[in-house]
Amino acid sequence: MILTVPIGLLLKWFWSKLSLLTVGGLGLPVGSSIETFQYVLSQHWLINRSSDINDVLANAAGIMIGGLIVALYYRLSTSRRSRARVVA
């Protein structure tokens, strides 16, 4: 989960118009791709890794958390700017 937070950060940072639901929806295919890749590697090169649906959901949750962090940053930075204009 921790390793996929930067993916969510980058998705929301570069495409700020994406909703959090869309960022989370993109997290599911990304998470399943990561787990599929781990499964293929474990079958061919015996890297001793397992794949589980819980890992896919944890990867999607990490991407969602990253998007939420950027959304909160945008919200806080715009509210501070608007308060600074009112004071000035």
Side-chain angles (χ1 to χ4, degrees):
M1 180 158 93
I2 299 297
L3 294 175
T4 56
V5 170
I7 297 171
L9 289 169
L10 290 174
L11 279 172
K12 189 69 175 162
W13 190 270
F14 287 122
W15 295 285
S16 59
K17 301 286 185 189
L18 288 177
S19 69
L20 287 177
L21 188 61
T22 305
V23 172
L26 289 172
L28 287 174
V30 170
S32 62
S33 297
I34 291 170
E35 294 305 314
T36 301
F37 188 64
Q38 280 184 355
Y39 176 76
V40 169
L41 285 178
S42 69
Q43 295 300 313
H44 291 289
W45 286 284
L46 302 173
I47 62 169
N48 199 19
R49 299 285 299 182
S50 64
S51 297
D52 192 9
I53 188 65
N54 294 329
D55 295 335
V56 173
L57 295 176
N59 290 339
I63 291 173
M64 185 83 148
I65 289 170
L68 183 64
I69 290 170
V70 173
L72 288 173
Y73 171 76
Y74 283 153
R75 176 72 50 103
L76 292 174
S77 66
T78 56
S79 66
R80 286 184 185 171
R81 275 192 242 135
S82 65
R83 275 189 260 150
R85 289 182 189 154
V86 171
V87 173

